[in-house]
Amino acid sequence: MTDPGAIAFIGVGRMGSALARGLVAAAVPADRIRVSDTDRSAARRLAEETGVRATESNREAVSDVDTVVLAVKPQVAKSVLQELAPALTEHHVLVSIAAGISTAQLAAWSGLGVRRIVRTMPNTPCLIGAGAVAIAISPETDADAAERARAIFEPTSLVVTVEERLIDAVTGLSGSGPAYVFLFLEALADGGMAAGLSRETAESLAAQTVLGAAKTVIDLAADPAQLRDQVTSPGGTTVAGLGVLEERKFRAAVVEAVQAAARRSQELSEATG
Ligand SMILES: NC(=O)c1ccc[n+]([C@@H]2O[C@H](COP(=O)([O-])OP(=O)(O)OC[C@H]3O[C@@H](n4cnc5c(N)ncnc54)[C@H](OP(=O)(O)O)[C@@H]3O)[C@@H](O)[C@H]2O)c1
């Protein structure tokens, strides 16, 4: 793993604290991590539990670090960066997880050049170390900025690189995707119960089935369509189930769901512009 240098987390709610915990678990020395939050007790609790240093202010947090992770809600990103701007220098790299806030906005508000800024889109499974994050890298991004951003997420997430124009697509897929899968899990378990299983048995079989299918695709680097063929024999049970999903246009519904979420992400970004 690349050395991310000393890091300040501005905002240690759900996402910020999960990323900070992930770094400590990956053996980044806790004393190199500063955390700041308007909810001082949250920052102090995280410090007590992990050994990171809670600071009294956002400015203090960024004063002696290399990387600043902006992990506040999008609505407060502007005021937080304007407050931090006098303390930021071109030595700093700014990594933002704030949904819908563009690199250009981050640059305008922080005073940093776009080459020192990496906009990202993580997802909530990073809370349990199984996240998926896209980091937006352009030809202008400094190599050390890209590497430091990658290092922030590697302990908790799969990291992919995309052009910034594709961040809305990422939001529609992996950002919102866990909710689609939760819905599918509910339905899978409902089906099991309709077929006679207890709720407890149906829910655990459903979750393990989704986990096992996803792990098979990842571990074997296999094409999902081929794997599906392998479990579908002519006249068998799986083809009967898949027939209903095709007839009810399951595939088209999922494709359209991702597109609708991506469009909504773009609309929300434009509204904050
Ligand atoms: N959760 C997701 O699924 C997800 C996925 C991808 C990206 N994101 C992005 O991740 C960011 C954080 O989301 P989250 O779910 O972790 O939010 P969260 O749990 O609300 O955490 C944000 C934290 O920032 C604190 N804060 C507010 N104003 C501050 C300020 N001026 N200075 C320092 N700290 C401040 C908040 O304190 P108070 O509670 O006192 O306001 C809160 O503890 C958001 O921008 C979101 O778009 C979230």
Side-chain angles (χ1 to χ4, degrees):
M1 179 179 141
T2 310
D3 181 357
I7 308 158
F9 282 87
I10 307 301
V12 280
R14 277 158 50 86
M15 300 295 278
S17 64
L19 293 170
R21 284 178 194 279
L23 288 166
V24 174
V28 171
D31 62 4
R32 293 169 70 193
I33 300 176
R34 315 272 180 272
V35 296
S36 174
D37 198 297
T38 39
D39 180 354
R40 299 257 175 275
S41 63
R44 268 198 300 272
R45 229 177 10 256
L46 186 62
E48 278 159 20
E49 287 170 17
T50 61
V52 303
R53 214 178 87 195
T55 60
E56 290 304 311
S57 70
N58 293 342
R59 288 261 194 114
E60 183 193 342
V62 305
S63 63
D64 62 349
V65 300
D66 307 293
T67 307
V68 177
V69 181
L70 183 70
V72 296
K73 291 282 189 206
Q75 302 88 298
V76 295
K78 183 177 185 178
S79 63
V80 168
L81 287 178
Q82 287 176 335
E83 174 204 351
L84 288 179
L88 295 175
T89 70
E90 292 295 307
H91 166 78
H92 288 102
V93 166
L94 175 64
V95 176
S96 169
I97 68 168
I101 306 292
S102 69
T103 301
Q105 287 171 312
L106 296 165
W109 300 338
S110 68
L112 291 176
V114 292
R115 63 190 186 83
R116 307 303 289 162
I117 295 175
V118 182
R119 176 185 175 188
T120 72
M121 175 46 63
N123 68 1
T124 49
C126 89
L127 304 179
I128 55 139
V133 60
I135 62 179
I137 301 295
S138 77
E140 291 172 87
T141 315
D142 284 349
D144 71 317
E147 281 308 304
R148 283 197 226 160
R150 182 172 280 281
I152 299 291
F153 296 102
E154 273 176 346
T156 53
S157 306
L158 168 85
V159 183
V160 301
T161 300
V162 297
E163 293 172 42
E164 185 169 8
R165 68 183 177 82
L166 294 174
I167 282 279
D168 295 316
V170 170
T171 306
L173 197 170
S174 53
S176 302
Y180 315 152
V181 178
F182 295 141
L183 179 65
F184 178 68
L185 275 175
E186 284 176 60
L188 204 55
D190 285 350
M193 287 191 289
L197 297 174
S198 71
R199 172 179 295 281
E200 195 188 358
T201 302
E203 285 177 349
S204 52
L205 285 177
Q208 182 61 28
T209 300
V210 169
L211 176 67
K215 194 162 157 46
T216 305
V217 172
I218 292 167
D219 288 0
L220 304 182
D223 175 2
Q226 271 179 6
L227 293 171
R228 180 168 50 78
D229 277 350
Q230 285 166 17
V231 293
T232 312
S233 43
T237 59
T238 308
V239 78
L242 287 172
V244 175
L245 290 178
E246 293 293 6
E247 191 187 302
R248 299 291 181 94
K249 303 199 182 334
F250 175 75
R251 182 193 299 264
V254 175
V255 170
E256 285 174 30
V258 174
Q259 290 176 310
R263 270 197 309 276
R264 184 68 187 134
S265 169
Q266 192 178 354
E267 284 164 12
L268 290 173
S269 308
E270 284 164 7
T272 60

